[in-house]
Amino acid sequence: MRRKVLDVAEAAFQARGYHASSLGDLMAAAGVSGGALHHHFPTKKALALAVIEERVAAAVDETWIAPVRRAASAREGVRQVFEAVAAELEQQGFVRGCPLNNLAHELSLADPEFRIALAGIFSAWRQAIADKISADQQEGREQATDPQHFAVFAVAAYSGAMSMAKTAQDAGPLRDCLAALERCASQATSPQREPGTRRRRRVLPRFGTS
Amino acid sequence: MRRKVLDVAEAAFQARGYHASSLGDLMAAAGVSGGALHHHFPTKKALALAVIEERVAAAVDETWIAPVRRAASAREGVRQVFEAVAAELEQQGFVRGCPLNNLAHELSLADPEFRIALAGIFSAWRQAIADKISADQQEGREQATDPQHFAVFAVAAYSGAMSMAKTAQDAGPLRDCLAALERCASQATSPQREPGTRRRRRVLPRFGTS
DNA sequence: TGTCAAACAGGACGATCACCCTGTTTTGGA
DNA sequence: TCCAAAACAGGGTGATCGTCCTGTTTGACA
């Protein structure tokens, strides 16, 4: 029951936002009575906090952190995620946006607790990429790039591209940013590689923003 | 009166968002009666649309488009805007976020008219940067960078950095992204020629697709 | 000055909101 | 089997929402 409420709330907050999703809508969509909802989540804020901490964090973990960790390098991991997300968006023909950024924009100024929770997810996201860059450097796969700078940059490019993609309802910005990022990468890493050779490598669509 | 309502609404939508700003709040803050508000803006949606088209578009124009146009080059213009915004945020010690991105996240899926209006502003923003890159190329200040790719990239990096800055309440992400962008720039503008991997030309919504 | 439409005032409306309260059912350990 | 606690049902509550309606004031022009 709690699980079903979280499912519905996660989807509704992503699709319509926090303030535009009424508890009545959620109760109806989840087939849950008011008493049940109030039992598990005393307030709407508590529900949103649970969605952020349990679902949004997990989504970022699944979509970004895990793929980057298991990638051959940080840059390759970032590339794969961009590619996978763009492919999925093109396949489903609809852009719902990044769950973290959607809620971050609406809630980070609304309540300090929201802001802290959301900032923590951003931080973990960045740290995973920065750690991967550091590992790459120790193994000689990467030059003297500042890990934090690169991580912030990758997250920002993705977030901003997704923001545009959502507004335009077109995955193009993600592909454009990926292309621009690869141009950067090809020059910042080992110079003996021409940047036109690898394109459109298939990536398993494990990710799920729906 | 209409002007004062727009002032208050612009500030409230930016600070608390559209759904979290009630017309009662706006009326009280603007010192306007319900009848007056309804006279100028029949619905709340009409008010938001006016804020988007008259204020948000103007803010993007003033903050980004005009400075880029009058800069020595596109890359220099982007650098200046990042620098100026970061400095301003650090001075006032509070990050309200990007007006366009704030509303885009909350409203672009809520109503098609909102989405079209917001997408138009994004498009004009990108176009101004792309045009500047093209002008740079014609005058030999820029290599064969794809203008659209660079424009999307710059806007995405800014939007994403601002998103993180807002959530963290710290201008650091903007500075990090600026540093990373300059690293890219110094290598992309260096006199080395690369076979441009032209991609498909994408169709993005221009102004008013009504 | 007289006229009329635009501008504005202010309350009332129904709908909806998040939340709470009182019961009933289910569950797990003694 | 018993019992207490958790889980759940479902209606009710005051507050607040966006919108609308009826008057009154203002201002431009004849």
Side-chain angles (χ1 to χ4, degrees), chain A residues 42-107:
Chain A
T43 65
K44 191 183 182 185
K45 172 181 169 181
L47 171 58
L49 226 39
V51 167
I52 291 172
E53 289 167 353
E54 299 179 27
R55 301 306 183 93
V56 175
V60 170
D61 210 272
E62 186 187 351
T63 308
W64 263 96
I65 297 180
V68 162
R69 283 221 179 98
R70 78 168 78 98
S73 70
R75 294 180 188 272
E76 175 63 16
V78 170
R79 209 206 103 255
Q80 284 176 4
V81 174
F82 265 82
E83 181 73 39
V85 172
E88 182 174 331
L89 295 183
E90 284 160 357
Q91 180 198 336
Q92 66 189 23
F94 184 71
V95 185
R96 245 170 294 264
C98 167
L100 177 57
N101 276 281
N102 287 349
L103 288 182
H105 275 89
E106 187 179 3
L107 299 181

Side-chain angles (χ1 to χ4, degrees), chain A residues 19 101-102 104-105 109 115 119 122 126 149 152-153 156 160-161 163-164 166-167 169 172 176-177 180 184 199, chain B residues 19 101-102 104-105 109 115 119 122 126 149 152-153 156 160-161 163-164 166-167 169 176-177 180 184 194 199 202:
Chain A
H19 287 103
N101 276 281
N102 287 349
H105 275 89
L109 292 190
R115 216 204 82 228
F122 267 117
R126 271 181 274 127
H149 285 188
V152 171
F153 196 47
S163 172
M164 265 182 287
K166 179 182 176 182
T167 304
Q169 282 298 301
D176 291 345
C177 275
C184 280
R199 287 202 8 165
Chain B
H19 288 103
N101 276 283
N102 286 350
H105 274 90
L109 292 189
R115 216 204 83 229
F122 267 118
R126 284 193 307 262
H149 285 189
V152 171
F153 195 47
S163 172
M164 265 181 287
K166 178 183 176 182
T167 305
Q169 281 298 302
D176 290 345
C177 274
C184 279
E194 272 187 23
R199 297 214 170 179
R202 207 163 20 76

